[in-house]
Amino acid sequence: MKTIIKLEELALFLLGIYLFNQLDYTYGWFLALILAPDIGMLGYLFGNKIGAWSYNVFHHRGLAILVYFFGIYNQSSLAQLIGIILFAHASMDRLFGYGLKYESGFKCTHLGSLEKNNPS
């Protein structure tokens, strides 16, 4: 099952790259911005509850899609870019096993624990 999920996430990441390709930005922008959504981790400086909330806002694909469609509706390539980066980043993270966070700690995700001794 994990292989199927990883293949799905890879496909969604590739979709993000394809959508980025439709914009008038060079791939240097994609490479420079792909890790930008990890700024949401700074919330963990204020505890697990705020950290999980801020991390999840920057890694929520539904929000990414809304931002992207907002950009299409308003003909804003910047909003489309932000939506695509959020979407592609979230898919990339999930490809590597980093899911949305629970308030119990950074290593507790909707995809399972990130603990090395916990194979879930």
Side-chain angles (χ1 to χ4, degrees):
M1 185 61 133
K2 284 188 176 189
T3 301
I4 291 172
I5 292 171
K6 286 184 178 189
L7 288 172
E8 179 181 31
E9 296 302 336
L10 176 61
L12 291 171
F13 179 68
L14 293 174
L15 173 63
I17 293 173
Y18 170 78
L19 292 173
F20 177 85
N21 188 49
Q22 303 307 301
L23 300 176
D24 289 329
Y25 292 94
T26 64
Y27 279 102
W29 283 107
F30 186 85
L31 294 173
L33 296 173
I34 193 62
L35 296 178
D38 279 338
I39 196 165
M41 287 191 290
L42 291 176
Y44 280 98
L45 295 172
F46 304 100
N48 285 342
K49 186 174 183 174
I50 292 173
W53 182 86
S54 64
Y55 181 93
N56 291 342
V57 164
F58 283 92
H59 291 78
H60 194 286
R61 282 195 299 230
L63 180 61
I65 292 168
L66 285 175
V67 171
Y68 177 71
F69 282 130
F70 173 84
I72 290 175
Y73 181 78
N74 290 296
Q75 298 179 351
S76 168
S77 64
L78 178 60
Q80 290 175 52
L81 173 65
I82 292 168
I84 289 168
I85 292 296
L86 290 171
F87 182 87
H89 177 87
S91 297
M92 181 184 70
D93 269 8
R94 291 177 185 149
L95 177 62
F96 295 121
Y98 295 96
L100 297 174
K101 307 300 182 199
Y102 290 114
E103 292 179 3
S104 54
F106 182 81
K107 293 184 178 186
C108 300
T109 79
H110 82 286
L111 297 175
S113 176
L114 295 175
E115 295 288 336
K116 296 233 186 253
N117 59 1
N118 186 348
S120 62

